[in-house]
């Protein structure tokens, strides 16, 4: 049996693999990190309100970047379309949690747009009035899943961004040691016998 952890949309992908692709017998637990289980109003807004030429241009740029990162089939538009609240609600109906797999989730939030560099600072500013507290990409209201939800809210003015949860920015954050956080996460699962 394996312990699995998945960040961002990969948490939804992992739930899909466990429930729809039949790998539940190989998985003891799934911990999702800043995953948009209930969708993103930001994604819905981008699809509904951006002019088509701007959305097409942005999609082309993101697909090129993903190709450079060795994504063989980049499709930013489809990925965003899968993250609307309606699409996620439908998926959640189709993907019941697998019996015998322990599900838990972890979330984080920024304290202000100064808590991350571009583009998360910009998206934080857009998401905050629409969907409330967020990590620069996902609203905290969308992150909880499973038996336990833990929200990382360290002291300090910056908070924790979507990228900080996987040490993407390699910065020291007072009150939060990302490596120690994952060590403690695994230890807690071990203590549960998972």
């Amino acid at each position: 049996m394996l312990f699995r952890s998945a960040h961002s949309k990969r948490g939804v992908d992992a739930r899909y693999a466990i429930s729809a692709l039949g790998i539940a017998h190989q998985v003891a637990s799934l911990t999702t990190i800043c995953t948009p289980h209930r969708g993103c109003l930001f994604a819905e807004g981008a699809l509904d309100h951006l002019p088509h030429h701007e959305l097409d241009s942005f999609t082309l740029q993101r697909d090129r970047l993903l190709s450079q990162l060795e994504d063989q089939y980049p499709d930013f538009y489809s990925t965003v379309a899968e993250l609307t609240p309606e699409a996620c609600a439908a998926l959640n109906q189709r993907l019941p949690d697998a019996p015998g797999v322990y599900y838990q989730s972890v979330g984080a939030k920024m304290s202000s747009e100064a808590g991350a560099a571009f583009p998360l600072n910009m998206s934080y500013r857009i998401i905050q009035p629409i969907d409330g507290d967020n990590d620069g990409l996902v609203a905290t209201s969308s992150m909880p899943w499973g038996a336990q939800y833990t929200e990382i809210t360290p002291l300090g003015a910056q908070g924790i961004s979507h990228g900080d949860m996987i040490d993407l920015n390699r910065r020291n954050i007072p009150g939060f040691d990302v490596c120690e956080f994952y060590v403690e996460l695994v230890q807690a699962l071990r203590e549960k016998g998972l």
Side-chain angles (χ1 to χ4, degrees):
M1 297 286 265
L2 298 173
F3 149 75
R4 300 212 184 251
S5 170
H7 177 253
S8 196
K9 185 183 178 294
R10 298 299 173 242
V12 175
D13 296 341
R15 286 180 40 226
Y16 182 86
I18 292 167
S19 296
L21 300 181
I23 68 164
H25 67 284
Q26 299 175 8
V27 180
S29 70
L30 172 64
T31 302
T32 60
I33 312 290
C34 297
T35 295
H37 294 289
R38 288 162 189 82
C40 297
L41 289 176
F42 178 65
E44 184 175 59
L47 294 175
D48 290 346
H49 301 294
L50 278 178
H52 287 291
H53 69 280
E54 287 183 30
L55 186 57
D56 290 345
S57 174
F58 187 72
T59 297
L60 182 62
Q61 291 172 21
R62 296 295 285 184
D63 286 350
R64 283 185 188 146
L65 173 63
L66 293 171
S67 291
Q68 291 172 355
L69 296 173
E70 299 185 15
D71 186 337
Q72 294 180 357
Y73 308 103
D75 189 351
F76 180 75
Y77 182 85
S78 293
T79 299
V80 171
E82 291 173 354
L83 294 177
T84 64
E86 293 77 19
C88 286
L91 187 66
N92 291 340
Q93 288 293 316
R94 291 192 351 250
L95 297 178
D97 289 348
V101 175
Y102 178 77
Y103 293 84
Q104 68 177 353
S105 52
V106 175
K109 65 182 176 183
M110 291 168 48
S111 300
S112 71
E113 65 184 84
F118 180 82
L120 294 181
N121 61 343
M122 181 184 73
S123 54
Y124 171 88
R125 193 171 358 131
I126 295 168
I127 296 168
Q128 185 68 27
I130 300 169
D131 219 4
D133 289 339
N134 68 86
D135 65 0
L137 200 55
V138 179
T140 56
S141 60
S142 190
M143 296 177 190
W145 195 266
Q148 180 175 329
Y149 173 66
T150 303
E151 190 167 284
I152 309 301
T153 53
L155 300 175
Q158 60 192 32
I160 303 291
S161 77
H162 197 76
D164 292 330
M165 287 304 296
I166 55 170
D167 205 19
L168 183 67
N169 302 311
R170 305 273 184 206
R171 65 182 183 158
N172 292 325
I173 300 172
F176 180 66
D177 181 325
V178 67
C179 294
E180 188 61 27
F181 167 75
Y182 284 103
V183 168
E184 291 173 4
L185 183 72
V186 172
Q187 181 63 35
L189 288 168
R190 177 182 286 174
E191 289 171 5
K192 290 181 186 297
L194 300 170

